[in-house]
Amino acid sequence: MGTGATGATGAQAGPSGSAWTTAPYAVPQQRTTEPVQELVPEPERAPTPPTAAAPAPKKQAKPGRDRYLDLLRSIALVRVVVYHLFGWAWLTVLFPSMGVMFALAGSLMARSLNRPAWGVIRGRIRRLLPPLWAFSAVVLALMFAGGWNPTKNTEDSPAWALLELFNYIVPIGAPPFPWHIGSKSGLLEDTWAVQAAGVLWYLRAYLWFVVASPLLLWAFRRAPWPTLLAPLGLTAVVGTGLVSIPGETGNAVTDFAVYGSCWVLGFAHHEGFLAKIPRYVAVSSSALVMAFGLWWASGHLGPDGWDLNDIPLAQATWSFGFVVILLQYSPSWQELPGRLAKWDKLVTLSNNRAVTIYLWHNLLIMATVPILDRLYDLPFMENERATAALDSTYMIWMFFLVWPLIGLMIAAVGWVEDLAAKRSPRLWPNGTKSPRRRSSRAGHRAK
């Protein structure tokens, strides 16, 4: 998968060694849990005497969000931002966000496929595309304003180069972009287009998984183990150079293979397949698979060392084992417990705006640079000591500044996710009920 380097200071290689950069993770849709207890027929009982009052039926518990899975999704998003800011390779080992996110999306997809498959696929695509269109409109406008002509400096024919722009509308392949645009002394560094458009590789992989899910779920229900392990075998073939598929087709196939087992693990979680495996067997087997991944990585280190995004087979096996352990210990919280409860609103917000955060975070990381550079113009910064202090803490200031920028972007364009999901637009959906909604409900109850 892609090379990890800092999103603000240099270009990053794309997934599977592709010729475009990427933020390697992103974000599938949110998942709701099944009811706490299913309604089952009660055994026959003796008739209640006429004089005895029949007991009032108990109110069935409503389905709720699985806050454990919501928490995992939020952690994955934060890890993505931190990774693309600092470029720390060890983060890919500490928490393989991409594998986690695909597993959560696979679980939700399996749950949704209880309905007709075509309607589910259409709904997933509808939720994905409008946020992409908002992002693409801004990025393409900036690239065209910077003088980019997609028909120049390309090996493709002009007609084909223009046709590739379709990937900014429906991400079935890799979108074109200039490797360098503007100047290094400009408002944004000259590789901003590479880093901004590079995140779209995830949407391509997600779309492929969504379309393939009816067939994958059908296969999993008939042959669970072969379906679960087949992507790992495919990764061993196409992700190690044993068989090489050229171009973006090869990159897409490798991405599909690397994270395919994590997607199918989501099926296994939803279908109760994982719950049937004794925990000690699942955990010990996963540890062996993860150990193999680290062993393989140790002999195939990429330009950024232990960055698993550069080592497909290591990424696939490490992510697979990691996700198995997370799902085996899944507590299915209805509410965040203990000290985690104070993060409830942020977890809710990040899950409701996961696509927005993912799409825009790399561009916003780069936007922190021209803002922070203005600090050097302040009068007290003429002191060499002050300048050295800012230089040494520059990345830390970028980290603290990017989150308010992400918040502004959520408020500015996040509502597109609501329109895509056929909901009323919300400015800041963190779970807090607006006063108008509370008063309207109170008035309804008073009636």
Side-chain angles (χ1 to χ4, degrees):
M1 305 304 293
T3 304
T6 58
T9 59
Q12 305 167 6
S16 311
S18 68
W20 52 302
T21 61
T22 174
Y25 312 126
V27 204
Q29 303 293 325
Q30 303 173 46
R31 176 184 184 274
T32 55
T33 62
E34 298 292 337
V36 176
Q37 291 182 343
E38 295 184 358
L39 188 63
V40 295
E42 293 185 354
E44 294 184 3
R45 298 178 180 177
T48 304
T51 56
K58 293 183 179 180
K59 189 175 181 180
Q60 186 182 8
K62 295 181 179 180
R65 298 186 60 87
D66 190 328
R67 300 301 280 170
Y68 174 72
L69 300 186
D70 284 351
L71 179 64
L72 291 181
R73 188 177 291 108
S74 298
I75 293 173
L77 283 171
V78 172
R79 209 285 273 150
V80 167
V81 176
V82 174
Y83 170 78
H84 286 121
L85 176 58
F86 294 100
W88 293 330
W90 54 266
L91 285 174
T92 63
V93 178
L94 178 66
F95 193 88
S97 291
M98 195 62 188
V100 172
M101 298 307 295
F102 275 128
L104 301 182
S107 180
L108 173 60
M109 193 68 187
R111 180 177 184 268
S112 299
L113 284 173
N114 292 327
R115 306 192 303 271
W118 171 241
V120 174
I121 293 174
R122 184 176 56 189
R124 291 294 176 275
I125 295 176
R126 187 193 69 236
R127 290 181 179 224
L128 183 70
L129 295 187
L132 169 64
W133 295 340
F135 175 80
S136 298
V138 172
V139 170
L140 285 174
L142 290 175
M143 289 193 292
F144 289 141
W148 177 56
N149 186 341
T151 64
K152 295 182 179 180
N153 300 321
T154 177
E155 297 178 357
D156 300 322
S157 65
W160 183 256
L162 290 174
L163 186 61
E164 285 184 327
L165 291 175
F166 182 73
N167 289 302
Y168 283 101
I169 302 173
V170 181
I172 57 177
F177 49 80
W179 278 95
H180 298 278
I181 186 170
S183 66
K184 294 183 178 180
S185 59
L187 188 63
L188 294 175
E189 63 175 89
D190 63 347
T191 61
W192 71 263
V194 180
Q195 300 182 62
V199 302
L200 299 182
W201 82 271
Y202 163 74
L203 275 69
R204 174 187 67 188
Y206 178 80
L207 184 62
W208 281 38
F209 279 124
V210 165
V211 173
S213 282
L215 178 61
L216 287 175
L217 185 59
W218 176 86
F220 175 78
R221 287 172 173 170
R222 285 156 180 78
W225 283 112
T227 308
L228 186 61
L229 300 177
L232 294 179
L234 180 60
T235 304
V237 174
V238 300
T240 62
L242 187 62
V243 173
S244 180
I245 304 176
E248 282 303 321
T249 300
N251 297 327
V253 170
T254 301
D255 296 335
F256 190 89
V258 167
Y259 296 109
S261 286
C262 290
W263 185 274
V264 179
L265 275 175
F267 293 173
H269 175 66
H270 175 266
E271 298 284 299
F273 181 79
L274 287 180
K276 298 176 182 178
I277 303 174
R279 180 172 291 176
Y280 73 93
V281 174
V283 173
S284 57
S285 300
S286 297
L288 291 175
V289 173
M290 295 167 71
F292 169 82
L294 292 182
W295 172 80
W296 181 266
S298 68
H300 300 81
L301 298 180
D304 293 302
W306 284 87
D307 193 324
L308 299 186
N309 294 312
D310 299 329
I311 316 169
L313 185 58
Q315 177 74 286
T317 50
W318 179 263
S319 298
F320 178 84
F322 198 95
V323 168
V324 168
I325 294 173
L326 285 180
L327 296 181
Q328 271 286 344
Y329 284 90
S330 176
S332 297
W333 293 325
Q334 295 299 304
E335 297 179 354
L336 293 177
R339 296 181 179 180
L340 292 175
K342 66 182 180 180
W343 301 101
D344 182 81
K345 291 182 180 179
L346 287 178
V347 170
T348 300
L349 178 66
S350 63
N351 276 264
N352 283 324
R353 293 293 180 258
V355 178
T356 299
I357 294 171
Y358 175 75
L359 281 174
W360 293 91
H361 78 275
N362 238 16
L363 191 59
L364 295 176
I365 287 174
M366 289 178 287
T368 64
V369 174
I371 296 174
L372 289 174
D373 282 351
R374 301 283 74 80
L375 295 179
Y376 289 102
D377 298 331
L378 297 176
F380 63 84
M381 292 302 295
E382 295 178 359
N383 186 303
E384 292 185 3
R385 193 172 184 178
T387 301
L390 180 57
D391 288 342
S392 62
T393 58
Y394 199 94
M395 300 294 291
I396 297 175
W397 288 111
M398 289 177 66
F399 173 78
F400 284 110
L401 181 57
V402 73
W403 299 109
L405 294 181
I406 289 175
L408 289 175
M409 192 56 64
I410 287 173
V413 300
W415 51 268
V416 176
E417 291 194 55
D418 293 324
L419 295 182
K422 295 186 175 181
R423 293 191 299 257
S424 298
R426 297 169 294 173
L427 186 65
W428 197 255
N430 64 350
T432 302
K433 297 178 182 178
S434 64
R436 179 180 300 178
R437 183 177 296 180
R438 287 197 297 266
S439 61
S440 65
R441 288 187 177 182
H444 178 75
R445 288 194 297 268
K447 292 179 182 179

